[in-house]
Structures are given as C-alpha cells and as structure tokens.
Amino acid sequence: MTREDGAAGTVDSRDERSQVTGGEGGRPPARVIVVDDQTVVREGIVMLLGLLPGIEVVGAACDGEEAVRLVAELAPDVALMDLRMPRCDGAEATRRIRAEHPGTQVVVLTTYADDDSLFPALKAGARGYLTKDAGGDEIVRAVEDVLSGDAGLSPKIQRRLLERLAEPDSTPAAEPPDGLTARETEVLILIAEGMSNHEIARALHVSTATVKTHINNLFAKAGLKDRAQAVRYAYRHGLVKPPGGGRT
C-alpha cells in the first residue's frame, strides 16, 4: 500500500489486490510500479491494476525522483509513468530509468492525447503510451507489448503521434532508404500504421516468423531499436503521411 503522506513506497504483497495469477502460458505476473503525483489517481490506478490478470503492483511513487529510486530498489518490469509531476517530470524520470536500469520498460500514462510531454518521453525511451481513461484490457495489452519488445500504443495516442511525427518538410523518397527491400518497406509502413506482427502477417499472407525476420532486417539496416523509432523513421523518409493524407 502507498504511504498516507503520498510518498513513494512498496505495495504490501499480502494485499489481496496484488495476489494475481501468472500471465499467459503460466508466466509470472509482470511486476509494475505506478508513478503519479496525485494521491487519489495513484491509489486508484494501483487498485485497478491489482485486479488485472498478469500484473503485480510492487510499488508506487509520487514523482520522478521517487520513481527512479523505486526502480533501483525493486527492479520492476514496467513503470507506469505520469508525465507532469513536481521535482522530476515523467520524461526526465524515463530518461534516467532507461539509462540506468534498462531492464525496466516505461509506459507513459497521460491525461491528454495531445500532451506535449509525450514527445520528450518518446525520445527519452518510453515504449508505451496510454491515456488515463484506458481500460484494464488496454493496460494489460500495453504492458505485455512492451515486455515482448513491441510498442504499447493506445489508438488515441497513436493517432496523435502519427500527426505530430509527420514533418512539414518531409518529401517522398524516390526509392526505399538504407537499402530496404520492397517487402521490408511494406512491413515498415504497416508498423507505422500501428499494426502488430500478427496483423501484418495476416495482411501480407505470410507467417509471423517471416514478419519478425523482415523487421529484424529492416531494423538492422536502418539502425532502429524499436517500433517507436520505426514510426519516426517512416515519416522522416516520407513513406507515410498523416491520417487522411494517404501513403506516399
């Protein structure tokens, strides 16, 4: 449970809400900390997460400084991170956590889909993005996605990212950049459109293993680390346009 004064703390493992079963395939639950400066919001999120399958809340923090300390102490799998907080905001906390504790992934939890803090958080290394009206299923999916190496993007956040990541001076590429094959380019475009590996496989009528091979190859050629970088790369090279603009 969080402390009464609103400071960070670990969650009592004896609390019924933290007793969850393992994830899919008998995997242990994902160990999560919650970071939010508003006590009511933070405790509400802790309570919600405690009811979700495959998630164990191990701590809560009231700002970025406490979040960094808790990650060092508890080594959680995921930090569910608010953005606008005193002392140390979510973007700076994300940067420090990813630099100092790369085993912990960060999922941003923001009030507005157009929150300008999203983009510093993206650059800082956040892998998932949700709004605070996200349902339990969305939260579980985002946690599972970031732990499997994907980006956990809610549809609302993804639309906002696609709009903002489209640079005004982007020009269509005459040919695929960095030696990408036509198929790799097609996979990249589908990634930028928010498709999962399974959805890409269905769209291209290939196996998921084949999609993963294409992704590994295009990431290596383009020097990409994750799907969030792939989205920025696709827009920077004019491979896709904002919603309503069609493909280049």
Side-chain angles (χ1 to χ4, degrees):
M1 300 286 289
T2 54
R3 298 176 186 171
E4 290 297 326
D5 60 5
T10 58
V11 173
D12 191 341
S13 62
R14 293 170 295 180
D15 190 328
E16 280 187 359
R17 294 172 302 185
S18 296
Q19 301 303 314
V20 296
T21 59
E24 183 179 344
R27 293 174 298 182
R31 302 175 68 254
V32 176
I33 67 167
V34 176
V35 188
D36 198 295
D37 64 321
Q38 298 182 47
T39 302
V40 173
V41 174
R42 183 174 65 250
E43 293 182 349
I45 295 171
V46 168
M47 183 176 296
L48 171 63
L49 295 182
L51 298 173
L52 299 179
I55 292 180
E56 178 185 5
V57 182
V58 296
C62 62
D63 59 35
E65 289 287 350
E66 295 291 350
V68 175
R69 182 187 67 78
L70 267 189
V71 168
E73 176 184 336
L74 301 174
D77 300 308
V78 175
L80 195 60
M81 183 77 67
D82 189 20
L83 291 174
R84 295 180 176 177
M85 299 180 291
R87 291 209 299 168
C88 175
D89 65 20
E92 174 61 17
T94 297
R95 185 193 66 76
R96 291 171 57 184
I97 288 170
R98 295 298 299 145
E100 300 168 17
H101 310 284
T104 297
Q105 301 295 340
V106 176
V107 173
V108 166
L109 189 66
T110 182
T111 302
Y112 304 105
D114 60 352
D115 192 327
D116 288 339
S117 298
L118 276 172
F119 300 95
L122 172 64
K123 294 179 181 179
R127 296 290 297 276
Y129 307 88
L130 296 171
T131 51
K132 289 183 180 178
D133 59 357
D137 289 345
E138 283 186 86
I139 295 174
V140 171
R141 190 180 308 117
V143 169
E144 291 176 347
D145 284 347
V146 299
L147 291 180
S148 67
D150 293 335
L153 304 172
S154 73
K156 186 182 297 184
I157 292 295
Q158 181 166 304
R159 285 194 298 270
R160 184 60 186 166
L161 286 172
L162 294 179
E163 291 168 0
R164 288 289 300 271
L165 290 174
E167 298 293 337
D169 59 352
S170 292
T171 56
E175 59 183 32
D178 296 317
L180 299 184
T181 66
R183 180 62 93 181
E184 289 163 356
T185 302
E186 190 171 11
V187 169
L188 175 60
I189 290 171
L190 295 178
I191 289 174
E193 292 180 349
M195 287 192 180
S196 68
N197 288 359
H198 291 294
E199 290 169 335
I200 294 172
R202 286 196 297 268
L204 300 181
H205 305 288
V206 297
S207 69
T208 303
T210 298
V211 171
K212 290 180 179 179
T213 297
H214 289 314
I215 291 174
N216 288 338
N217 290 341
L218 75 89
F219 275 27
K221 290 179 181 179
L224 304 174
K225 295 181 180 179
D226 55 42
R227 295 172 92 95
Q229 287 188 356
V231 172
R232 296 194 316 185
Y233 179 89
Y235 276 93
R236 188 167 65 248
H237 288 279
L239 299 176
V240 286
K241 289 183 178 179
R247 295 182 191 172
T248 58

